[in-house]
């Protein structure tokens, strides 16, 4: 389902991607925004479009693709895997408005991975997520590799306030569904 979100810089449209060709519009931004160890190889994305539990969105503003968002929705939990906007649109409230819509419309716990606060931008990102009602629930999390034999990445887990005691079950679900055998990686 497509979604319209009002942001401080205007209306954005979230268009759900359903075909491999749709990914071409966001591939460059995905590669530019996330280091290789924090995203799967591009060839692994098309099969995920057909899964019922994934939601890949192209963010459109004034008729131009300006961002991406991908979510996993398991009915009892919503996991925000990636979100990125073109650099010139960052810091103007667009990303916050989009995420606010996603977190509030989820009507279930929302969880995501975030880099620890080693830089100003990382601290600001955590502050943004806290303004959206998410709380740091796990500081000793190691993100599994998207690639066989790849490096694990030290990240934090943030989730909807009040759901922190359920973080281990959330992490197990993420590891199994996003990084595990169901995703073609074979790592658990």
């Amino acid at each position: 389902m497509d979604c319209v979100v009002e942001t401080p810089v205007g209306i954005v449209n979230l268009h759900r991607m359903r075909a491999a060709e749709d990914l071409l519009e966001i591939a460059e931004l995905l590669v530019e925004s996330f280091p290789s160890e924090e995203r799967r190889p591009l060839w692994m994305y098309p099969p995920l479009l057909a899964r019922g539990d994934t939601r890949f969105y192209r963010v459109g503003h004034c008729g131009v693709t300006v961002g991406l968002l991908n979510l996993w929705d398991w009915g009892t939990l919503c996991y925000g895997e990636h979100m990125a906007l073109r650099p010139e649109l960052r810091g103007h409230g667009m990303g916050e408005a989009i995420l606010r819509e996603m977190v509030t419309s989820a009507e279930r716990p929302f969880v995501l991975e975030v880099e620890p606060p080693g830089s100003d931008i990382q601290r600001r990102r955590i502050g943004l997520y806290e303004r959206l009602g998410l709380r740091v629930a796990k500081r000793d999390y190691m993100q599994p590799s998207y690639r066989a034999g790849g490096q694990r990445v030290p990240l934090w887990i943030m989730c909807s306030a009040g759901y922190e005691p359920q973080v281990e079950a959330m992490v197990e679900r993420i590891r199994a569904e996003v990084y595990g055998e169901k995703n073609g990686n074979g790592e658990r």
Side-chain angles (χ1 to χ4, degrees):
M1 170 163 79
D2 289 352
C3 179
V4 175
V5 180
E6 192 170 329
T7 77
V9 294
I11 300 292
V12 296
N13 295 291
L14 303 182
H15 303 282
R16 186 163 178 200
M17 295 182 282
R18 299 182 188 279
E21 300 79 44
D22 295 337
L23 294 169
L24 296 174
E25 291 190 53
I26 58 99
E28 182 180 338
L29 180 59
L30 183 68
V31 170
E32 290 172 356
S33 301
F34 297 95
S36 62
E37 61 272 6
E38 291 183 26
R39 60 175 165 75
R40 63 183 48 79
L42 293 176
W43 64 266
M44 293 179 83
Y45 283 90
L48 297 176
L49 295 174
R51 288 181 55 143
D53 58 356
T54 58
R55 309 278 185 275
F56 289 84
Y57 294 98
R58 176 177 50 84
V59 179
H61 177 62
C62 297
V64 177
T65 297
V66 298
L68 65 97
L69 172 69
N70 67 297
L71 306 171
W72 295 72
D73 188 345
W74 300 304
T76 59
L77 177 66
C78 188
Y79 166 64
E81 185 178 17
H82 291 111
M83 181 181 174
L85 293 172
R86 296 255 173 243
E88 65 273 14
L89 294 172
R90 296 176 190 160
H92 300 289
M94 182 182 282
E96 182 171 356
I98 293 167
L99 280 175
R100 182 176 313 286
E101 175 66 25
M102 296 299 105
V103 170
T104 58
S105 68
E107 298 180 355
R108 63 190 57 75
F110 194 92
V111 62
L112 52 76
E113 301 160 331
V114 64
E115 294 168 310
S119 71
D120 184 54
I121 194 163
Q122 291 163 338
R123 285 186 287 280
R124 289 192 344 243
R125 191 174 294 128
I126 291 169
L128 163 65
Y129 298 152
E130 288 174 336
R131 287 192 305 277
L132 297 175
L134 304 179
R135 299 295 174 258
V136 175
K138 187 170 179 64
R139 288 183 167 85
D140 61 347
Y141 173 74
M142 293 296 289
Q143 178 194 51
S145 176
Y146 282 102
R147 294 157 176 78
Q151 295 293 315
R152 296 165 57 123
V153 180
L155 298 174
W156 285 3
I157 295 286
M158 295 184 74
C159 68
S160 300
Y163 290 93
E164 298 91 338
Q166 299 174 26
V167 71
E168 292 304 327
M170 293 177 188
V171 165
E172 282 306 309
R173 186 74 186 256
I174 293 167
R175 284 184 176 143
E177 300 286 341
V178 178
Y179 303 104
E181 292 173 0
K182 290 184 179 182
N183 207 9
N185 190 2
E187 224 177 87
R188 284 217 170 207

